[in-house]
Amino acid sequence: GENVEQHPSTLSVQEGDSAVIKCTYSDSASNYFPWYKQELGKRPQLIIDIRSNVGEKKDQRIAVTLNKTAKHFSLHITETQPEDSAVYFCAAEEGGSYIPTFGRGTSLIVHP
Amino acid sequence: EAQVTQNPRYLITVTGKKLTVTCSQNMNHEYMSWYRQDPGLGLRQIYYSMNVEVTDKGDVPEGYKVSRKEKRNFPLILESPSPNQTSLYFCASSLIKNTEAFFGQGTRLTVV
């Protein structure tokens, strides 16, 4: 089955810095890669996603890049703000499967 | 308002006492699923349903049951809960697979 590794487990940055979270996956058939943000005590919510036919996608301060050859994808947050503090999860989904595989999460702390 | 609603939010029960966690979505989504979230392990899928009367096991199905008699509802049943089922549970729905998952607000279950 699919295996998703996510690093780092904790990331501490100063407000205004950039943050990068990386995930690797094992199943070359995976074709959908969402990123979810979970604030403390809240439900996970999608912040950005990318499909295997696209190499990069941006939405304001958030971007995701995908390298299919190396089987890794990354979340980039620029100009971080304290409200970006949360746990971020990556996931990989194979087109023929109904079971998404999540990474173990990255706790991002943005210091004012 | 489009949403996924699960109840109860908090539940403390004793070993062996059957319980049901309800989940309902009002978005006419085909795909619904249950996850458990444990510290350091991320989100792991328990069961999923592709449509009414169609369910299948996820990664960690042991000790759980589900049913999908109506499109909007997808209850999670623990016939004989044990302490290792103490966890935070999330229900989620998607229009179809490989698309954004909308999560419920979570149910924190403690089995003593």
Side-chain angles (χ1 to χ4, degrees):
Chain A
E2 175 66 276
N3 182 48
V4 175
E5 299 282 342
Q6 182 173 347
H7 298 280
S9 57
T10 305
L11 180 58
S12 184
V13 301
Q14 289 296 127
E15 183 176 0
D17 287 350
S18 294
V20 181
I21 303 170
K22 299 181 179 181
C23 289
T24 60
Y25 61 99
S26 60
D27 188 347
S28 57
S30 289
N31 61 2
Y32 177 60
F33 305 93
W35 285 89
Y36 290 88
K37 175 184 180 182
Q38 186 178 27
E39 295 176 358
L40 190 63
K42 302 283 183 66
R43 71 191 81 190
Q45 291 188 292
L46 183 79
I47 54 170
I48 196 167
D49 56 11
I50 192 167
R51 297 189 186 274
S52 57
N53 58 348
V54 175
E56 183 175 358
K57 185 176 179 180
K58 280 187 79 171
D59 183 3
Q60 299 182 330
R61 297 186 296 109
I62 294 172
V64 57
T65 58
L66 172 65
N67 183 325
K68 284 195 302 181
T69 303
K71 289 190 276 189
H72 67 70
F73 56 113
S74 300
L75 177 71
H76 304 254
I77 306 174
T78 59
E79 300 171 26
T80 54
Q81 301 166 4
E83 52 264 39
D84 293 329
S85 296
V87 177
Y88 292 81
F89 292 98
C90 65
E93 299 185 29
E94 190 263 305
S97 168
Y98 286 91
I99 307 176
T101 302
F102 283 81
R104 297 191 174 196
T106 296
S107 178
L108 173 64
I109 303 163
V110 181
H111 299 280
Chain B
E1 181 191 352
Q3 59 187 358
V4 179
T5 304
Q6 41 180 124
N7 282 294
R9 293 290 311 277
Y10 302 92
L11 180 58
I12 301 174
T13 190
V14 296
T15 299
K17 185 176 181 182
K18 182 180 178 179
L19 66 92
T20 300
V21 184
T22 64
C23 175
S24 181
Q25 51 96 1
N26 63 0
M27 296 171 279
N28 201 36
H29 284 173
E30 287 188 355
Y31 179 68
M32 297 186 74
S33 55
W34 275 101
Y35 294 86
R36 61 179 289 172
Q37 184 176 20
D38 302 291
L41 295 180
L43 291 154
R44 293 180 293 165
Q45 193 182 67
I46 302 169
Y47 267 94
Y48 65 90
S49 169
M50 297 83 85
N51 215 324
V52 176
E53 301 292 1
V54 185
T55 64
D56 206 348
K57 297 176 181 178
D59 287 326
V60 288
E62 293 78 20
Y64 305 94
K65 285 176 58 176
V66 293
S67 69
R68 187 99 180 267
K69 294 184 171 58
E70 307 161 282
K71 197 170 188 178
R72 61 184 292 125
N73 295 324
F74 189 47
L76 178 70
I77 303 155
L78 284 72
E79 296 257 347
S80 183
S82 62
N84 65 9
Q85 292 178 297
T86 292
S87 187
L88 178 59
Y89 291 86
F90 286 100
C91 177
S93 74
S94 305
L95 183 61
I96 54 175
K97 70 183 177 81
N98 303 147
T99 58
E100 178 181 1
F102 292 84
F103 287 85
Q105 65 269 60
T107 295
R108 187 165 291 282
L109 172 66
T110 302
V111 183
V112 298

